[in-house]
Amino acid sequence: MMQRNNFDIRKAEVSDVSELAELEKLCFSAPWSENALRETMEGDNSCFLVAEENGRVCGYIGSYYALDEGYITNVAVHPDCRRRGIGQALVGELVECGKQLGLLFLTLEVREGNCAAISLYEKLGFKNVGKRPRFYTNPSEAAVLMTIYI
Ligand SMILES: CC(C)(COP(=O)(O)OP(=O)(O)OC[C@H]1O[C@@H](n2cnc3c(N)ncnc32)[C@H](O)[C@@H]1OP(=O)(O)O)[C@@H](O)C(=O)NCCC(=O)NCCS
């Protein structure tokens, strides 16, 4: 377990899913359900990490991998806990996990207008490698594809 300021980063457990689903509702217009989170977490090729503070989950990152390709599905930090380095710690730790797994790259999609997330990924070395028009709904928006070779 990594100790960072007041929070820890650890592997997610299936018992965390209800807290992850609550975070999803707080952070996204199309939140993942508890079932969707559980199914992905229980897959053989997934890696989910949580940030925990005083026994409460305050952020998480989800990913899965296929051969040497890693896909980040979601990153979310509780609105009350933002701008304290939690998102950066989660993504940074996942990149470390990806290295240990021997992944070639990690990639993700992010809403074109999500400046906070895009800045976070750029700070950690992800590059803008493409765009998918009208990828998102509610509201409709393009996705920027961002990738880091590790
Ligand atoms: C994006 C998100 C995960 C960032 O989490 P966070 O814990 O607040 O981020 P950090 O404190 O680690 O910030 C790291 C860097 O990211 C960038 N950043 C984060 N929030 C930012 C904001 N609101 N505006 C501009 N840059 C921002 C900055 O470069 C920041 O470094 P700095 O604080 O030294 O300036 C969080 O805002 C969130 O959960 N948003 C809603 C869900 C979401 O959009 N997820 C991404 C889906 S792809």
Side-chain angles (χ1 to χ4, degrees):
M1 194 190 275
M2 306 266 314
Q3 187 89 40
R4 297 184 199 253
N5 302 321
N6 300 326
F7 58 89
D8 300 315
I9 306 287
R10 62 165 172 82
K11 289 249 156 112
E13 313 277 346
V14 173
S15 57
D16 294 316
V17 285
S18 59
E19 280 181 280
L20 302 195
E22 285 306 311
L23 270 182
E24 281 280 320
K25 283 188 215 154
L26 282 171
C27 296
F28 297 108
S29 61
W32 279 34
S33 67
E34 238 179 274
N35 277 346
L37 285 162
R38 187 181 296 105
E39 273 172 28
T40 311
M41 275 172 76
E42 286 179 339
D44 286 339
N45 295 333
S46 74
C47 180
F48 277 60
L49 304 175
V50 298
E52 191 173 52
E53 187 170 53
N54 301 323
R56 283 190 54 218
V57 170
C58 52
Y60 93 100
I61 186 164
S63 68
Y64 66 92
Y65 51 95
L67 300 177
D68 57 1
E69 303 178 355
Y71 297 89
I72 296 177
T73 52
N74 270 342
V75 186
V77 173
H78 191 289
D80 295 343
C81 303
R82 291 184 186 161
R83 295 313 288 267
R84 290 177 36 211
I86 295 173
Q88 191 170 327
L90 284 165
V91 179
E93 195 58 25
L94 191 77
V95 170
E96 287 307 311
C97 290
K99 281 184 191 162
Q100 281 164 28
L101 287 165
L103 300 186
L104 184 61
F105 63 78
L106 278 163
T107 193
L108 56 85
E109 283 119 4
V110 54
R111 281 184 182 268
E112 192 174 38
N114 190 345
C115 300
I118 290 172
S119 302
L120 164 64
Y121 303 133
E122 280 176 344
K123 191 172 179 186
L124 289 165
F126 285 72
K127 305 283 183 229
N128 178 333
V129 295
K131 187 167 157 176
R132 296 194 208 281
R134 298 177 300 283
F135 181 79
Y136 293 104
T137 53
N138 189 26
S140 172
E141 191 173 351
V144 174
L145 290 171
M146 299 192 77
T147 298
I148 186 169
Y149 282 83
I150 54 182

